Amino acid sequence: MLDAIWTDQTGQEIVYAWVDWLHDSSLSHLKFDNRIPLASFENIDNAGDRRAISESVCPSVDIPSIINYNADKCNEKFCQNLHGCCICLNESAGTKFVRLPCEHFFCRNCMETYSTIHAKEGVSILCPQIKCRELVPPALVKSLLGDAKFEQWESLLFSKTLDSMSDVVYCPRCGMACLQDGDHLAQCPKCFFTFCGLCRDRFHAGDPCMTPEKKFAKLKLKFLQMTELLSKEQCRELDMINQYLNEKEIMRTSQRCPNCLMSISRISGCDHMHCSRGYGTNNQMMREARLLHQEQQILLAEDPANHAHSCPICRQMNAKVGNNNHMFCWYCQTYYCYLCQKIVKRSSEHYGPKGCKQHSAG
């Protein structure tokens, strides 16, 4: 047909006529209605017009090349035009847009903000288009979030996915995620502890899980049985240890009222405390409370783990409670700083960006 057009238009410009025919009439001339079958031409007889023999090697090679070429040209055309973002409604050049595999596109600023919000929640990032449930490819999410935020999002998403799985439990010893079978048997792959997936206790095949009340009763019975084997002196030492541990925990989570020395814990609100027992307490009760408090402070100060420190006024030893550097001397009733050993009249003026740190380890 191309030769026939050449012959009919001898001496005339022929390229345009050829292109026009190839574009409009070639498929119907070859009797292709809605598809073009492709096949390898390696074994075709070389006889005949060589111009009709395709240089195609294999459709599996040619088809991806055609698709990639088409995608590149479509993206080139997209970047050359102006588009409107359906999130911020601003119009920008195509180079400032992000195109998703679902063919929806949004400006990069909106996609970065959208991805950051969903990444903090640890949920899958979907196309922002209404009713579109297509996932945003991980490689694209990484380019929008950056390496650090992308790793945090992946970790949080993985943790939430594990939490949503009914057959995943966490080891009570090391916190490793473990799989449990139908009998709630789980074995930690890290520390190899075998436990029950329901009560997180040692695996008890055939026995029901123990309630907290039953566990406490069992421990209490075991404790009583153990104390029967101890001497009176050992029992007194054990009571002193328990009392010391209780007092240490109270000191860690509470503060002493300067009037009655009762322990007070703040649940919420500001640092202004009000003790209901601080007024109207008789002198005998106050003396007894002070003596008890002094004994507790001496016990706490003797423990090396509490970082005991001497008061700069009276040189009495005081235990540091947790990481709080705001010290209170039980003997001379003076507040001072653990770091600089100076008297503290107003904690808000002494501690801060230009002063000492109120909380520090050691």
Side-chain angles (χ1 to χ4, degrees), residues 1-4 41 44-54:
M1 285 300 301
L2 296 178
D3 288 343
F41 292 91
I44 293 182
D45 188 6
N46 292 332
D49 195 335
R50 289 289 303 169
R51 296 177 300 171
I53 303 300
S54 172

Side-chain angles (χ1 to χ4, degrees), residues 16-30 32:
Y16 178 81
W18 274 355
V19 172
D20 185 58
W21 184 86
L22 290 171
H23 185 272
D24 297 333
S25 306
S26 59
L27 295 182
S28 59
H29 177 78
L30 297 173
F32 294 144

Side-chain angles (χ1 to χ4, degrees), residues 7 66 119 122 179 218 247 303 305:
T7 303
I66 294 172
L179 289 176
K218 185 178 179 180
E247 291 171 354
D303 188 351

